[in-house]
Amino acid sequence: MSKFFTRTWTCVNNVAQKCRRRGDATRRGKVPPKSARAGDEDPLARDIARAKQCHEWVSELVSTLVMSIYPGAPFERRCTALDLLNGVAESWMSADGVADSAGIDETDLNDDLRIARDLLTSPYVMCTNKACTDMLLGALVDSWEKLRVTAFALLRRHPSPLAGLETPALLEARLTWAMDLLHSPRLRESDAGALLIRLLIRKYAYDMRWDIQLSPTIKVTPPKADGTPRADVGAHVLESMCDLLAHDIALAEADVMKACRQSLAHGAILLTRYAIQEINFVAEKTDALKAALSRMMALMTRATELALGFISQPDALGATAEEVKFESGGFDDDMDDDVADDDTMDDDTTDGCDLAPRAQIITTACWLTVKEISLLTGEVTGATATADMLSLDALKSAGERLFNVLFTVKHTGAMEKTRIGTTALCARLMRSNDAALNMLPQQWLDELVTQLRRPGQGVRDRVRRSAGLPYAFMSILLAEPRGQTRTALERVLPQLLDVAAAPDGSESENIPRVHAFNVIRVIFADRDLSVETTAHAARGLEVCIRAFSSPAWETRNAATLAFASLLTKVCGCMNISPRRIRDGYVSSRREVSVVEFFQRFPSLHAYLLEELATATSMMTAESSLSVSSVHPSLYPTLALLSRLTPSSSSCDNEGNDAHAAINVKLSPSAFIPCVLTCASAKYLAVRAAAARALRPLVPPTEVAAHIASVLSPLSDAHEPPRIGCNTAHGALLCVHELLIEACCSSSSSSAMMWDVVRAASNGLTACAKTAATVRVPLISAAWLRCAEATALIANTFLVNTDARDALGDDGTFHELVLMMWQCSAPVLSAHAEHHPGASEWNKAAAGIRVRIALSCDSAYREYRYGRLCKTHDEWFGDDIGDVTEAIIDALGANTPYEYRAQAYKALFHGGDHLPMADETKDFVRNALRREERHSVIRRAIRVVTEWALGMSEGGDHHLLFWRVVLDITVNNINERVRSEGMCCLARLCAAQLRIDAVETVSSGRLNGFVHMILDGCDPSASSEKRKAAVQALSSSKLLDFVQGDRVEDEATGTLAVDLWRCMLMLIEDEDVDIREIASQTASSAIESVRSGAQSEEVLRAIFQHVHTNFAQFEVAMAFMVDLAKGLSYTRSQFDHILARSTNIRRLFDKEADNAHAEPLFLAQLAAKQMHASCDAKTAQCALDEVMETLTNMKDALEAFANRDSRWVGGVTAHEDCFVPIANALIGAWAFEARIGNDDNERRERLQALYTALSPFVAPALRVLMRVGDDVFADDVFASVSPCFLV
């Protein structure tokens, strides 16, 4: 939009300059005046007309944008409006006055010069009056940071002095109010106050050279006749900041509780950080400014010592904020009686300010102060201009103070901000040409290493993740210039690895190792250092894995964290979806192949292989001795291997002897024997980890051979079996991982897949008896998973004719599929019960059973359609039995609930593809009445949802299911079940409407369902409930039915209005997804709305649609009237609103998080409809209610003591007060037009009420009750209507 405004300004300026030049020539007599050329056509006439149109359009846009930042407007509207106003103000550069530049009087201007003057006048000029300035100041103190910053940038463009602040008294009053904000313990209010004071300092101290004193009292003095030298302004402002900071510190030293209620020194330091950004240190490099800067640094040191004394007390043993003990001298003695009372101070509703518990207030104020001091220190010392004004001792002292904060504070936010400040300081020192300054960061880094290695460290030094020590190291390492060799990193990282690799010792000797691991973790995780740290990653992994064997828990814990960081660095993020058969496979963005990994880190090949061999030999030896333990390095080694991916071939560089020799030396296959040995371990976690680790070690060309080799020992030919249950389960897990990898591989050919399917079919068929008869359900479940994966590969990859024929003639594969059906029978669940892995077997068996029965799963659907040259009956014959009976058996109540839940899940994933028998539907309906498990009920309802749209007109299943699901939705205590039930009722509703819409609506069956949706649309409802409501409203197709010609009686009209009420609430929801679904649903129901229309356009169409189609119903008219007139307030209720219209909040109060809702917009839409058509009787009653509310508001405002100083522009400019008054005034405007021409008595009462209320409200509200059209003729509000949003 900035480019658009600039182009518009360019076009208008070209025309204006032509008029200006011609006007100057006419005034000098070089060309005849326009009156003398009356017969000639003006060549600029068309250009002037177009330029005026552009100017007028931009002026109207500015008026609209100003009203769009009304108090209480949503964040998106206000932010967009402020951005556009900034664009207009920046691009429309007003030239100097035409009369002044021409050197003539205003009265001597001719027509051309007047046109040029009007065109060159920026449309934004009308926004610099008091009313608009107050609105912008209100945005400046908003709770949204982006709004504050944008409003500040816009107000800086206003001329000095600001409108409404022309005198010192007015400025003092505004500064007093801003200082109250600055001293708020909440960051949002203090930041708003600091920005406001910064603006006033810019406008008055710098632009007008007024003397502003903030402490100990606020005093503003205009400049003397001779003026203040420009060079002294910066020094004077900085001295004023120092006075304020000294005053706050002195207050804290006398009474810390009172000071912390005013944010201790946080507000003053934040203001100082903003104020120094206005100081030009290059131009104002004076002794006074240097002295002020030195004083500021000393005060920051004093404030730091004060704040650290209170937040350094909690130790590493778990002290919380409520347990902080204060050891400041005289603290308890000097407190007020209400503060010293422990009973009240420990309560959540403490003292008179109702702010927060005492410990919370103090700790919050202290860490905010420390955080802001660190940022200010970094900003002052990091800039070249300011750093040159500080001595070496001052810079060294500042750095030592920052490091002291890092060693003391335990708050993550404070440490991060301190790290930023320290990095800025160190970066400035590293760029310095002074050798003494340049060496300071290196000296501090050496001191950090010494601090880390310091002997004699105790339990108090073993804080969580070493607290600020990693931040201290990072502050220096990140300060090194980019693109150059990071000498500090290359020097310190090997030292840290040496410390971490030290042998185990006593507790005090292990603490340096813990610190080293915590620092290593942060260094390797940082993106800015990712390239430089890669060379040290291999040794880092070795050190971490060795530390897993440490007897000290804290060392193992720190090594685990560091290992996780290194694992992410060398193997990429683990953003791979779970490798489940039915969900497919999503490749990671940063996958690393196993060959690539060992080529990048060759030293890890031998090390990992040695560690894995040691762990395997230990496990084998202890297995023979019946000892249960796992080598510490086994898990990290297997985890590292499992994060890699298989290489495309066994040798990535075939044809190159040198590379081939390297690949043979670093071959991943060397790990396979050890990994297979681990797959037979006693512990399930080890077996699963080994199976995942085997997957990347086997190249795609060797998958079939390895599957055959792994499954060979499980063959039923060995009587008795030669292997144990753990070995059998581990082997099946390995086969499953290899099958999944083969299915996901992009380099596998059909021939390779055929080999895999044949090897898996032969091996799994050979061991089927063992898997089915063994009394370990985990083995049976693993066998079923492997068989299903084999079928998936066959169905997905074997698509050519030869492969289909070969598979169709393969009796082994046919036998495997039949065994899957037999081994997943529900009757076998009784054998699995009470055995390890019963739940896993139930999930695997139920899913396979139902999917085979339905023949609609991706692994089996093609059997039905003949892709593999066999029909469903040819595959199974009579072996499968009746499909309906099989499904009913799977859903039976005698099966475990895991089996039933998984069966329902498979059913709703595939049941909608095939028509279900009536027996199955009857069984599901009856089972729903008896079911008690929430997970089973929810999935069963989902099945009914999928069936709903396919229900035929001849049956009554939709009515029977409606009663059952409605009863569950109303009475079930589980919210997820109720939400699922609401969506199911919507589908059933759509089915009933499709069969007999008139009878369905007239019967009243839908009333309860609509009330459920109304309840779910409430903004206070949970996100899941609101999403279910919008999905139900969309799926039910009710809005498509309740159109104008179908709504004939009051009951149907009430139903229609309730549905559109739901739609209005959902379009105004805080969740973007909910708003999108609601907007799309409304767009499809209203023909005049295009698909994908913006939500505001949809809202306009909804009101027009409701008014056009349902205005004849009383409920629709009542709904419109209620929206237009707003809430009614008594005198006491509005007194409460006025008392609440302030910036005072509890310390951690949650702000309103719905940045999209706009009740005033809905009120204006309704008022616009009422203004166009509302009967006189209804309008009179509504107007009486509105006038009563306005009278109560007027009385409350008249009695309110500080209504003008409560907020910028008065208390009515606060959003809590502005919105209800504006709503009432909009309603009065709408109803006044419909009360009848002869009702003068009401009009006179309303005008009298306007006259009485006008002095107490903001100008933006006076627009809505203007007495005459000439009141705002020359104002930005001149073209604003009461319904300014529509």
Side-chain angles (χ1 to χ4, degrees):
M1 289 301 293
S2 296
K3 292 183 178 180
F4 170 76
F5 291 136
T6 302
R7 291 177 180 178
T8 304
W9 149 252
T10 303
C11 296
V12 174
N13 181 60
N14 289 337
V15 177
Q17 294 301 334
K18 292 179 181 179
C19 293
R20 183 174 186 171
R21 288 192 294 269
R22 192 173 69 177
D24 287 339
T26 301
R27 185 180 59 82
R28 295 187 179 93
K30 295 182 179 181
V31 296
K34 188 181 299 183
S35 59
R37 311 189 307 267
D40 299 334
E41 182 180 357
D42 186 0
L44 295 179
R46 294 182 61 187
D47 292 341
I48 291 173
R50 292 177 179 176
K52 286 183 176 180
Q53 289 178 351
C54 291
H55 193 280
E56 291 171 0
W57 181 85
V58 176
S59 299
E60 293 179 2
L61 176 63
V62 168
S63 298
T64 303
L65 294 176
V66 169
M67 289 305 298
S68 294
I69 60 173
Y70 70 90
F75 165 76
E76 293 176 353
R77 181 184 294 276
R78 300 179 79 182
C79 191
T80 303
L82 288 173
D83 284 337
L84 292 176
L85 284 173
N86 259 314
V88 173
E90 180 180 6
S91 60
W92 206 288
M93 300 169 288
S94 294
D96 295 334
V98 175
D100 296 338
S101 63
I104 58 176
D105 296 333
E106 178 74 18
T107 56
D108 294 336
L109 290 177
N110 53 38
D111 291 342
D112 285 333
L113 290 177
R114 287 192 179 92
I115 292 173
R117 179 195 59 187
D118 294 340
L119 293 178
L120 291 174
T121 301
S122 173
Y124 186 77
V125 170
M126 59 183 177
C127 298
T128 58
N129 58 16
K130 181 180 184 302
C132 293
T133 302
D134 286 343
M135 293 183 71
L136 291 174
L137 288 173
L140 180 63
V141 295
D142 193 87
S143 59
W144 291 87
E145 182 180 5
K146 186 176 181 180
L147 283 179
R148 295 197 299 266
V149 174
T150 310
F152 173 79
L154 193 56
L155 283 166
R156 288 196 65 168
R157 305 181 187 277
H158 284 218
S160 302
L162 296 175
L165 299 176
E166 295 85 358
T167 65
L170 293 173
L171 182 58
E172 288 177 358
R174 182 62 66 236
L175 282 170
T176 301
W177 185 79
M179 289 294 290
D180 292 338
L181 282 176
L182 183 71
H183 285 134
S184 170
R186 286 165 51 96
L187 182 58
R188 293 180 177 180
E189 282 83 12
S190 60
D191 183 76
L195 269 179
L196 178 54
I197 298 175
R198 176 186 176 183
L199 174 69
L200 298 178
I201 289 175
R202 175 75 261 175
K203 291 296 180 184
Y204 293 90
Y206 283 94
D207 296 347
M208 300 183 66
R209 290 189 269 181
W210 287 19
D211 183 10
I212 298 179
Q213 176 183 316
L214 299 177
S215 182
T217 59
I218 296 176
K219 184 179 180 181
V220 177
T221 306
K224 298 180 180 179
D226 56 350
T228 303
R230 180 75 180 183
D232 292 336
V233 176
H236 183 76
V237 168
L238 194 55
E239 279 292 342
S240 180
M241 297 297 106
C242 292
D243 292 340
L244 178 62
L245 180 55
H247 177 269
D248 289 350
I249 294 174
L251 176 63
E253 291 172 344
D255 189 343
V256 71
M257 188 62 198
K258 183 178 180 180
C260 288
R261 286 200 191 111
Q262 300 178 8
S263 76
L264 207 139
H266 167 255
I269 299 170
L270 176 61
L271 175 59
T272 304
R273 186 161 66 88
Y274 284 161
I276 64 172
Q277 297 177 18
E278 301 292 340
I279 301 175
N280 188 346
F281 286 94
V282 177
E284 302 181 37
K285 200 170 186 179
T286 62
D287 293 338
L289 188 59
K290 291 181 180 180
L293 200 59
S294 299
R295 183 189 176 196
M296 183 190 70
M297 299 295 288
L299 287 171
M300 284 195 293
T301 301
R302 184 176 160 194
T304 302
E305 294 173 353
L306 175 65
L308 290 181
F310 293 101
I311 57 178
S312 61
Q313 297 301 320
D315 56 20
L317 299 179
T320 61
E322 287 76 12
E323 297 169 343
V324 176
K325 301 300 181 183
F326 307 104
E327 300 177 357
S328 176
F331 168 72
D332 290 328
D333 298 334
D334 296 338
M335 288 193 305
D336 297 334
D337 293 338
D338 62 329
V339 176
D341 188 355
D342 290 338
D343 295 335
T344 60
M345 291 309 301
D346 290 337
D347 194 354
D348 281 344
T349 57
T350 61
D351 52 73
C353 70
D354 192 29
L355 189 63
R358 179 181 64 175
Q360 195 177 68
I361 293 174
I362 293 182
T363 52
T364 302
C366 288
W367 81 256
L368 280 175
T369 299
V370 169
K371 179 204 74 170
E372 205 59 52
I373 289 174
S374 301
L375 290 176
L376 177 58
T377 303
E379 188 158 341
V380 171
T381 58
T384 303
T386 52
D388 291 344
M389 301 174 67
L390 297 172
S391 64
L392 172 62
D393 293 338
L395 292 173
K396 185 176 181 179
S397 175
E400 292 173 349
R401 170 162 48 82
L402 292 174
F403 283 112
N404 182 40
V405 170
L406 290 174
F407 293 146
T408 305
V409 178
K410 306 300 185 293
H411 190 282
T412 304
M415 290 188 294
E416 176 59 28
K417 296 298 187 268
T418 305
R419 199 277 305 162
I420 295 174
T422 311
T423 300
L425 169 60
C426 293
R428 172 65 188 90
L429 296 177
M430 290 180 179
R431 295 193 306 267
S432 176
N433 295 325
D434 190 334
L437 294 176
N438 197 268
M439 289 300 296
L440 279 179
Q442 187 60 55
Q443 295 176 11
W444 290 334
L445 188 61
D446 294 339
E447 292 175 3
L448 288 178
V449 176
T450 304
Q451 172 77 7
L452 183 144
R453 289 175 165 174
R454 178 171 51 88
Q457 299 184 58
V459 66
R460 293 181 63 89
D461 298 291
R462 196 183 61 208
V463 293
R464 184 172 181 264
R465 298 185 181 178
S466 299
L469 188 60
Y471 291 94
F473 275 93
M474 293 301 296
S475 64
I476 299 177
L477 299 180
L478 291 176
E480 292 188 284
R482 294 185 180 182
Q484 301 180 16
T485 303
R486 295 184 180 267
T487 56
L489 177 66
E490 295 298 331
R491 180 181 178 187
V492 76
L493 188 52
Q495 297 182 44
L496 292 172
L497 291 172
D498 291 340
V499 175
D504 292 301
S506 62
E507 181 179 8
S508 61
E509 294 174 343
N510 286 333
I511 292 178
R513 295 187 67 191
V514 175
H515 291 327
F517 277 119
N518 288 326
V519 176
I520 289 171
R521 171 184 59 84
V522 176
I523 291 176
F524 280 109
D526 192 271
R527 292 184 179 181
D528 293 334
L529 305 177
S530 59
V531 176
E532 291 82 0
T533 54
T534 302
H536 304 274
R539 190 188 174 202
L541 285 169
E542 294 180 15
V543 171
C544 291
I545 292 175
R546 286 197 181 98
F548 277 77
S549 303
S550 173
W553 173 87
E554 57 269 20
T555 303
R556 298 195 304 273
N557 179 64
T560 303
L561 295 174
F563 178 77
S565 176
L566 277 162
L567 197 61
T568 302
K569 176 180 176 58
V570 299
C571 298
C573 300
M574 194 174 180
N575 55 354
I576 307 174
S577 65
R579 287 180 165 83
R580 294 176 294 182
I581 295 176
R582 296 184 45 78
D583 293 346
Y585 174 80
V586 178
S587 178
S588 171
R589 294 175 302 166
R590 295 179 55 198
E591 285 186 339
V592 180
S593 70
V594 62
V595 172
E596 178 189 358
F597 176 80
F598 286 125
Q599 286 177 349
R600 291 177 61 189
F601 309 106
S603 61
L604 286 178
H605 186 278
Y607 173 76
L608 293 176
L609 185 59
E610 180 183 357
E611 289 293 321
L612 189 59
T614 302
T616 304
S617 60
M618 173 182 172
M619 183 177 61
T620 304
E622 292 181 347
S623 176
S624 60
L625 300 175
S626 300
V627 179
S628 302
S629 63
V630 177
H631 193 276
S633 64
L634 180 60
Y635 279 118
T637 303
L638 294 177
L640 176 58
L641 293 175
S642 66
R643 292 286 290 273
L644 304 174
T645 60
S647 300
S648 57
S649 63
S650 58
C651 184
D652 286 352
N653 298 284
E654 294 180 0
N656 188 315
D657 295 338
H659 285 102
I662 295 175
N663 287 333
V664 170
K665 183 179 180 181
L666 302 178
S667 174
S669 59
F671 292 87
I672 294 179
C674 295
V675 172
L676 288 176
T677 303
C678 294
S680 61
K682 177 179 181 180
Y683 296 106
L684 173 61
V686 176
R687 298 198 298 273
R692 292 191 298 269
L694 178 66
R695 175 183 52 81
L697 302 177
V698 180
T701 56
E702 301 177 14
V703 170
H706 277 82
I707 289 176
S709 174
V710 171
L711 290 177
S712 177
L714 277 65
S715 174
D716 298 334
H718 306 290
E719 294 289 348
R722 298 181 304 175
I723 60 175
C725 293
N726 292 333
T727 303
H729 180 248
L732 290 171
L733 289 179
C734 292
V735 170
H736 183 256
E737 287 291 337
L738 292 175
L739 288 170
I740 294 301
E741 184 57 42
C743 183
C744 302
S745 177
S746 60
S747 60
S748 300
S749 63
S750 296
M752 292 169 56
M753 290 297 100
W754 163 240
D755 293 338
V756 170
V757 171
R758 183 168 53 187
S761 299
N762 293 334
L764 292 172
T765 304
C767 66
K769 180 180 178 181
T770 301
T773 57
V774 68
R775 298 188 64 81
V776 180
L778 277 176
I779 297 178
S780 301
W783 186 91
L784 287 173
R785 299 288 191 193
C786 292
E788 187 176 26
T790 304
L792 177 61
I793 295 174
N795 185 61
T796 304
F797 287 91
L798 303 183
V799 295
N800 60 69
T801 304
D802 295 337
R804 290 202 307 266
D805 294 341
L807 185 60
D809 297 334
D810 192 343
T812 305
F813 183 76
H814 180 202
E815 185 179 358
L816 176 65
V817 177
L818 290 177
M819 287 179 177
M820 292 168 59
W821 172 259
Q822 296 167 357
C823 293
S824 60
V827 68
L828 297 179
S829 61
H831 298 281
E833 193 174 3
H834 306 304
H835 289 280
S839 175
E840 178 66 19
W841 183 88
N842 287 325
K843 293 178 182 179
I848 291 175
R849 184 80 171 179
V850 173
R851 285 193 286 270
I852 294 179
L854 291 176
S855 296
C856 66
D857 178 76
S858 60
Y860 308 103
R861 181 185 303 141
E862 302 304 331
Y863 300 155
R864 184 178 183 86
Y865 301 114
R867 171 189 263 191
L868 300 179
C869 306
K870 293 287 185 179
T871 64
H872 184 272
D873 295 333
E874 288 175 330
W875 273 116
F876 297 104
D878 296 330
D879 296 329
I880 192 172
D882 183 72
V883 172
T884 301
E885 183 180 349
I887 293 177
I888 291 176
D889 288 343
L891 304 177
N894 56 341
T895 58
Y897 86 92
E898 296 100 332
Y899 196 101
R900 299 197 305 275
Q902 191 66 27
Y904 277 117
K905 185 176 182 179
L907 203 58
F908 72 69
H909 273 307
D912 59 325
H913 296 287
L914 295 173
M916 300 303 299
D918 291 343
E919 293 86 352
T920 305
K921 296 178 180 178
D922 293 338
F923 179 84
V924 171
R925 185 177 63 253
N926 295 326
L928 270 173
R929 293 192 178 100
R930 301 187 302 267
E931 187 59 60
E932 297 180 355
R933 291 278 185 172
H934 296 316
S935 60
V936 180
I937 295 174
R938 190 176 68 253
R939 293 180 179 183
I941 292 177
R942 178 73 180 274
V943 169
V944 178
T945 304
E946 298 296 334
W947 289 345
L949 291 179
M951 292 182 179
S952 62
E953 300 182 9
D956 59 349
H957 290 288
H958 56 278
L959 294 177
L960 298 175
F961 273 119
W962 177 272
R963 299 189 186 101
V964 174
V965 177
L966 181 64
D967 179 69
I968 293 174
T969 307
V970 172
N971 299 317
N972 198 281
I973 63 173
N974 187 276
E975 184 172 2
R976 295 185 65 188
V977 171
R978 295 197 301 270
S979 299
E980 193 66 55
M982 196 183 304
C983 296
C984 181
L985 290 174
R987 288 285 186 92
L988 293 171
C989 174
Q992 295 179 61
L993 290 176
R994 188 176 64 254
I995 296 171
D996 190 349
V998 177
E999 191 277 334
T1000 300
V1001 175
S1002 60
S1003 65
R1005 289 196 300 269
L1006 302 182
N1007 294 338
F1009 171 59
V1010 175
H1011 289 155
M1012 287 181 193
I1013 297 179
L1014 266 174
D1015 182 59
C1017 296
D1018 191 274
S1020 60
S1022 66
S1023 175
E1024 184 174 7
K1025 190 175 182 180
R1026 299 197 315 275
K1027 191 168 185 179
V1030 71
Q1031 290 174 343
L1033 195 56
S1034 176
S1035 302
S1036 65
K1037 306 300 180 183
L1038 275 169
L1039 291 177
D1040 297 334
F1041 169 76
V1042 288
Q1043 300 295 338
D1045 55 342
R1046 299 180 181 176
V1047 181
E1048 299 176 352
D1049 55 358
E1050 190 69 29
T1052 311
T1054 302
L1055 178 68
V1057 173
D1058 287 343
L1059 290 172
W1060 285 112
R1061 284 174 55 200
C1062 296
M1063 189 57 63
L1064 290 175
M1065 287 188 287
L1066 291 170
I1067 294 178
E1068 292 276 286
D1069 195 86
E1070 64 183 1
D1071 195 322
V1072 177
D1073 296 334
I1074 294 177
R1075 294 202 302 269
E1076 289 180 355
I1077 297 175
S1079 295
Q1080 293 172 2
T1081 304
S1083 301
S1084 63
I1086 303 176
E1087 295 181 356
S1088 60
V1089 182
R1090 58 182 174 84
S1091 178
Q1094 202 262 348
S1095 60
E1096 190 168 303
E1097 181 181 348
V1098 176
L1099 289 174
R1100 295 170 187 263
I1102 289 175
F1103 275 88
Q1104 182 65 37
H1105 177 79
V1106 172
H1107 183 265
T1108 302
N1109 293 278
F1110 313 119
Q1112 67 272 24
F1113 300 111
E1114 182 180 350
V1115 63
M1117 187 60 64
F1119 170 64
M1120 291 284 191
V1121 169
D1122 289 341
L1123 275 180
K1125 68 186 180 64
L1127 297 176
S1128 299
Y1129 291 92
T1130 64
R1131 166 70 184 276
S1132 59
Q1133 289 174 335
F1134 202 72
D1135 283 337
H1136 179 69
I1137 294 290
L1138 292 175
R1140 197 179 60 190
S1141 301
T1142 179
N1143 62 298
I1144 299 299
R1145 298 286 190 274
R1146 285 179 59 84
L1147 192 56
F1148 292 109
D1149 276 355
K1150 182 182 178 182
E1151 299 285 347
D1153 54 0
N1154 188 355
H1156 190 80
E1158 190 171 12
L1160 200 57
F1161 179 68
L1162 300 182
Q1164 292 189 16
L1165 288 173
K1168 187 177 181 181
Q1169 300 297 333
M1170 293 296 96
H1171 185 271
S1173 60
C1174 179
D1175 62 275
K1177 183 177 179 180
T1178 302
Q1180 290 170 359
C1181 295
L1183 184 59
D1184 290 340
E1185 295 181 19
V1186 171
M1187 286 193 294
E1188 182 180 358
T1189 298
L1190 288 174
T1191 302
N1192 294 331
M1193 291 177 174
K1194 186 264 295 181
D1195 295 338
L1197 286 170
E1198 189 175 10
F1200 196 62
N1202 55 346
R1203 58 176 177 269
D1204 294 331
S1205 60
R1206 185 80 166 185
W1207 194 256
V1208 179
V1211 68
T1212 57
H1214 192 281
E1215 59 182 88
D1216 290 345
C1217 192
F1218 181 93
V1219 173
I1221 297 177
N1223 200 337
L1225 293 175
I1226 291 169
W1229 165 81
F1231 298 124
E1232 182 193 10
R1234 308 300 302 179
I1235 60 175
N1237 296 329
D1238 56 345
D1239 198 346
N1240 295 324
E1241 186 269 336
R1242 280 189 174 86
R1243 286 191 173 87
E1244 291 175 357
R1245 285 171 48 202
L1246 182 61
Q1247 293 301 318
L1249 184 57
Y1250 283 168
T1251 303
L1253 184 62
S1254 179
F1256 306 130
V1257 298
L1261 291 172
R1262 289 200 292 272
V1263 175
L1264 308 180
M1265 55 180 181
R1266 63 180 72 194
V1267 180
D1269 293 337
D1270 58 338
V1271 176
F1272 298 94
D1274 298 327
D1275 197 82
V1276 67
F1277 304 118
S1279 60
V1280 175
S1281 67
C1283 293
F1284 54 86
L1285 295 176
V1286 298

